Structure formats: structure tokens, C-alpha cells
Amino acid sequence: REKRSRSKQRNDPNKRSKKKGRVLVDEVIRPVCGGSRAERERWRDGSENRENLMRTYSSTSASSTSDISRSTQGILRDRQLKEMREKMRLEMEKKYKANAIVEGKKVTLKECKKEMKEKIKKEIADNTWRCIKFFPPERQRQLELTAVVLKTFVEECPEWPKDNEEQQRIFIENYQQIVAHWLNERRCYVVTRLKDAIHAWYQKNKKVPDLELFRKAATRELDLDIEEHMDFMKWYWTVLLPRATGNHSDWHRDIRYYYTISDACIPEGEYKDTMHIPISTEAFLLTAMENYVESWENFWKLKEDNPGRRIQKCKDSNRQGSKSKTDTDIIKYVSDKKYFAKWTDFDSGASPNGGWSNEGLDQYKKNYKKLHESRHGRMIKVREFEERVLQEVRKSANIKAKSPEEHKNQKGNNDGKGQDDGSAIINTLVIDDVSQH
């Protein structure tokens, strides 16, 4: 009797339809609203309540079980599910799209539209990187930086709430992750290009430049009467600085052969009178050299000592002795600290500062303050220093014209492609390819 009673309950179309109705409701809600229970409840409350949906599917299922076959029931159910999903999707877009930004949902890189990505990337490369090198930790400054990046094109976005300041603030805040990502990408791009220049120096001289040379070049304290110092400063001027700017316009040959660093400013536009090479650019260049140069040199020497083998960095020394991490003829694992940068973690690029530790950020701030103080009250000497270097750079590049236009009109000129690439100046193989990009 118990078995028969349970069987009757299972086969009761009314009870089965109610259960099926609940399943169908979840099948409709979940693809539209996602797997979160809170999300599904929100959409149920915002559109049609659960009882109405269950009643709709219960009646449909009850009538279908008595009139049509199971295969036809499945076809009708799939069709009804599809129609209901489309209906709820349209309702969701219509009712909530305009207010979606109020929910405070951060826009991820995957969700961000391609056009928006390109605009943010271009703005950071052309303008933001000139003064900002790290995404700020303070929430208010993050919001201000994101607003500065978006302000040139945000009004063109159809989702931009033009008349509601609170929604505008939330809209800007939702794009902070995208701005932080592309700022980190630009910093990595700059470091990679600086590394290429240092590697070319190393290949020819079998050593990297002394860090003290970088410090004195940034503070304009090199003794230009010493040939080695003058050669280094010309290489710093024509090879490193174009890479440190993060773009191909701020220290283009039409600027670096006709202006000193202190006098080269943007002539017009929104950023008029802003320096092409501000102190922040040289401060980051110096910090990057202090962080990476020694580890690069040790790593390149290790590669020379292990020809034909791939060098793999390994954070945990214990992993070297494991079965899968044993050195072979093809690969060598290293975990010594001398092969790692001082203030960056090579596998933490997704962090807000792209793997830079607090010590590294503090070092950047110290270098910025040091460069600022080194020029305060010394601008006459600094300008004389830069003017002397500029004349030597022009002489090495065989440039006699007073302006880029005059130089282009001269017959037989070489467009500045002289000895400034550093091959004859400092005996390296560095080729200044910034303007050739």
C-alpha cells in the first residue's frame, strides 16, 4: 500500500506539474540573471512574482500531460522557455539598463567594450603616463584619476548619465579597474623598452651602466668634461628618455634635437605648457634602473654560462629539488634573489600597482623628491648643463638647422640619423628606433 500510495503521488499530474513549474521557473530565471540566488530573487521581485510564474507553467504542464505526448511536451516546453527568457531579457534591458550603473558593479576588462578600451589605452599613453606612473591607493584619488582619463571622451558614451551627478560618479568609479589595468600595461611596456636598451649596452660592453651614472644624469650632476660622462648623457638623452616617455611623440627627434629637457613643453591644446619630460618620468626611469638593472645583468650572465638552455625563474627554492622541477639539459631553474628585481614580484601583475611593493613606491617618491630638490635653486646651472648636452647631441647627429622644418627643407640632410644612436658615442649597438616605429 505504501508503495502504491507513493507511486500515485508521483504520477499525480497536478503535483507533478507544480514541481515541474518550480523547475521551469529556475530554468528561465537562471540563464537571464546568473547563478546568484540574490540576483534571481531581485529579478523575480522586479518583474513577475514567483507564484505567477509557477501558475503559468503549472497550468501549461497540467494541460499538456493529458492532451499531448511526452516528446511534444518537451518541444513546447523548450519553446516556452525560450520565449520567456527573451521576454525577461527585453524587460531587463528596458527597465534596468539605464540604471545599471547605480548598482555599483565594476566593469571588468572582459566586459568593457573594445572601443572604450582603445580610448582609455590611447589617453593613458598620450597624456596620463606623462605625470602618473602608479595607480593611487586612496579611493578619492583613484576616482579623480579615472575621471581625468575619461573626461575627453566620456560624454560620447551612450550610457553616460548626463544630468545626474551621483550616477556620473558611480559610472566613473566602475571603470577604475580598466584604467588601473592599462596604466600597469603602459608601465610594463616602458620597462620592456628600457630593458632592450640596457641589453644592447650589455652585449657590447659585457656590463651594465653604473647606477651612479643614472643618478647623476637625472640630477644633472655629471662632469661633462669627462668623456665617459658626456657619452653616457648623450645616450641617456637620445635612447633612454624616448623610451621612458611611453609614447612616440613626447621626445620625438623634432623635439629632442631642438629643445632642452627643461624648455620642451607642449605648445597648444588642453595640456599646453606641460613639459614633455616632467620630473616624474625621470624619477620612474631612475627607480626602474635601481630595481631591475642588477638582476638583468646577473640573468644575462647566467644565460651566457648556460648556452642552449632556457632559464626559468622559480620563487621557492624547494621546488628545484622536486621531481618536476629538476634541472635538465634544456631548462635550468633559479631561485636566487640576485636574479629577481628588488621591489617587484614577477607573477603579481594583476595587482593594482602591477606587482610593485610598498618599498618600491616609497623609493619612487624619494627619487621624485630628490630630483625636484636638485633642480630647485639650480635652474641656471641645469639649463647650462642641458644646453651643452643638446649641442653635442646635434653635433653627433650632424644637425645644423634651427628648426625641424628648416632641417627637412635642406638638401642632403640625413633626418637626424647620425651618430646619435650611440654606436660611435658610447661603443654600443643601441639603435634609436623610437621615431622609426
Side-chain angles (χ1 to χ4, degrees):
R1 284 198 204 94
E2 291 177 358
K3 287 184 178 180
R4 279 199 295 270
S5 63
R6 285 197 297 269
S7 177
K8 287 181 179 180
Q9 290 177 2
R10 276 199 308 269
N11 296 328
D12 186 352
N14 293 325
K15 293 184 178 180
R16 188 173 70 249
S17 64
K18 290 180 181 178
K19 181 180 179 182
K20 186 179 291 185
R22 288 193 294 271
V23 175
L24 289 171
V25 169
D26 287 337
E27 289 180 3
V28 174
I29 296 289
R30 187 174 287 107
V32 177
C33 305
S36 171
R37 179 178 179 182
E39 288 289 322
R40 292 201 296 275
E41 291 294 339
R42 185 166 68 88
W43 289 116
R44 286 193 193 104
D45 297 339
S47 56
E48 300 179 48
N49 58 42
R50 185 182 184 90
E51 288 74 16
N52 288 338
L53 286 172
M54 287 182 61
R55 191 179 301 114
T56 300
Y57 281 101
S58 297
S59 60
T60 303
S61 302
S63 61
S64 62
T65 54
S66 58
D67 299 334
I68 55 180
S69 65
R70 289 188 176 181
S71 60
T72 309
Q73 291 177 34
I75 295 174
L76 289 176
R77 188 185 69 168
D78 292 342
R79 186 181 300 169
Q80 291 162 0
L81 284 172
K82 186 176 181 181
E83 291 175 354
M84 181 57 71
R85 288 171 183 168
E86 184 65 19
K87 178 182 176 181
M88 294 186 68
R89 186 184 66 80
L90 294 175
E91 181 182 354
M92 177 179 65
E93 288 184 356
K94 180 180 178 181
K95 189 173 182 179
Y96 293 97
K97 185 175 182 180
N99 299 327
I101 58 171
V102 183
E103 302 298 331
K105 181 181 179 182
K106 304 296 183 182
V107 178
T108 63
L109 191 65
K110 186 176 181 180
E111 296 170 348
C112 187
K113 296 180 180 179
K114 183 178 179 180
E115 182 181 1
M116 195 71 167
K117 287 181 187 177
E118 294 299 325
K119 288 182 178 180
I120 293 175
K121 180 180 178 180
K122 185 177 186 301
E123 178 65 21
I124 290 176
D126 293 346
N127 298 309
T128 307
W129 174 257
R130 192 181 299 117
C131 298
I132 304 294
K133 304 302 187 288
F134 297 94
F135 198 67
E138 300 85 2
R139 186 172 181 273
Q140 183 59 33
R141 292 193 61 198
Q142 292 177 354
L143 188 64
E144 293 173 356
L145 174 58
T146 306
V148 170
V149 174
L150 299 180
K151 70 177 181 179
T152 56
F153 56 84
V154 71
E155 294 185 359
E156 303 172 3
C157 301
E159 298 87 0
W160 174 249
K162 297 182 180 179
D163 302 325
N164 191 319
E165 292 186 0
E166 179 61 20
Q167 291 186 9
Q168 289 178 4
R169 185 191 66 79
I170 297 176
F171 180 92
I172 293 172
E173 188 175 5
N174 292 343
Y175 277 91
Q176 288 181 2
Q177 293 182 3
I178 309 299
V179 173
H181 169 81
W182 286 117
L183 187 60
N184 290 343
E185 287 289 318
R186 183 55 42 176
R187 187 170 58 251
C188 293
Y189 168 78
V190 170
V191 170
T192 301
R193 301 203 69 230
L194 291 173
K195 181 179 180 180
D196 293 339
I198 301 298
H199 190 217
W201 177 296
Y202 174 82
Q203 284 182 316
K204 186 64 179 180
N205 298 280
K206 299 305 177 183
K207 65 177 183 179
V208 297
D210 187 3
L211 284 176
E212 195 61 27
L213 290 175
F214 290 105
R215 297 187 182 103
K216 289 186 176 182
T219 56
R220 311 294 188 263
E221 294 175 350
L222 287 174
D223 187 353
L224 298 181
D225 292 329
I226 301 176
E227 184 179 359
E228 179 187 359
H229 288 194
M230 175 60 82
D231 291 343
F232 179 85
M233 191 62 204
K234 288 192 286 186
W235 178 71
Y236 179 91
W237 187 289
T238 60
V239 178
L240 289 186
L241 286 182
R243 288 164 166 78
T245 59
N247 57 50
H248 305 295
S249 58
D250 270 330
W251 202 233
H252 189 265
R253 63 175 66 251
D254 290 347
I255 300 174
R256 64 176 179 264
Y257 290 135
Y258 302 94
Y259 301 94
T260 62
I261 297 174
S262 300
D263 294 334
C265 297
I266 299 174
E268 58 186 5
E270 183 179 0
Y271 296 92
K272 183 179 179 180
D273 296 333
T274 303
M275 293 178 63
H276 286 286
I277 307 287
I279 293 178
S280 62
T281 297
E282 293 192 75
F284 177 76
L285 170 58
L286 177 57
T287 307
M289 295 300 100
E290 292 174 338
N291 182 47
Y292 292 108
V293 161
E294 292 181 359
S295 64
W296 287 344
E297 182 178 25
N298 294 329
F299 191 79
W300 293 331
K301 288 180 178 178
L302 182 64
K303 290 190 70 174
E304 291 177 352
D305 296 337
N306 295 270
R309 300 175 75 185
R310 181 166 64 90
I311 310 300
Q312 178 67 49
K313 291 183 179 180
C314 180
K315 294 181 69 174
D316 186 2
S317 59
N318 294 329
R319 292 173 62 189
Q320 290 187 12
S322 64
K323 196 169 184 180
S324 60
K325 296 296 181 182
T326 304
D327 292 346
T328 65
D329 294 337
I330 301 176
I331 186 170
K332 179 178 178 60
Y333 295 95
V334 294
S335 61
D336 197 323
K337 289 184 178 180
K338 67 179 182 179
Y339 300 114
F340 293 83
K342 291 182 180 179
W343 305 304
T344 52
D345 195 346
F346 72 94
D347 60 354
S348 299
S351 62
N353 286 318
W356 282 76
S357 65
N358 292 332
E359 292 78 6
L361 299 179
D362 291 340
Q363 183 65 24
Y364 168 74
K365 295 176 183 177
K366 290 179 182 178
N367 287 335
Y368 184 93
K369 183 178 180 180
K370 180 180 179 181
L371 297 188
H372 188 272
E373 292 176 349
S374 68
R375 300 180 190 184
H376 183 70
R378 294 181 61 243
M379 285 309 299
I380 296 178
K381 292 185 177 180
V382 169
R383 290 180 186 278
E384 292 176 352
F385 180 97
E386 294 178 355
E387 188 64 36
R388 184 175 174 183
V389 175
L390 176 60
Q391 296 304 321
E392 289 295 323
V393 168
R394 285 169 55 86
K395 182 179 178 181
S396 300
N398 194 25
I399 293 179
K400 300 179 181 179
K402 296 182 179 180
S403 66
E405 294 76 15
E406 180 182 347
H407 179 73
K408 292 176 182 178
N409 293 331
Q410 290 178 352
K411 294 183 179 180
N413 70 70
N414 60 358
D415 288 336
K417 298 176 183 178
Q419 298 297 325
D420 71 301
D421 60 358
S423 57
I425 297 176
I426 57 170
N427 197 25
T428 72
L429 297 175
V430 177
I431 299 177
D432 184 13
D433 61 346
V434 175
S435 59
Q436 299 172 7
H437 192 281

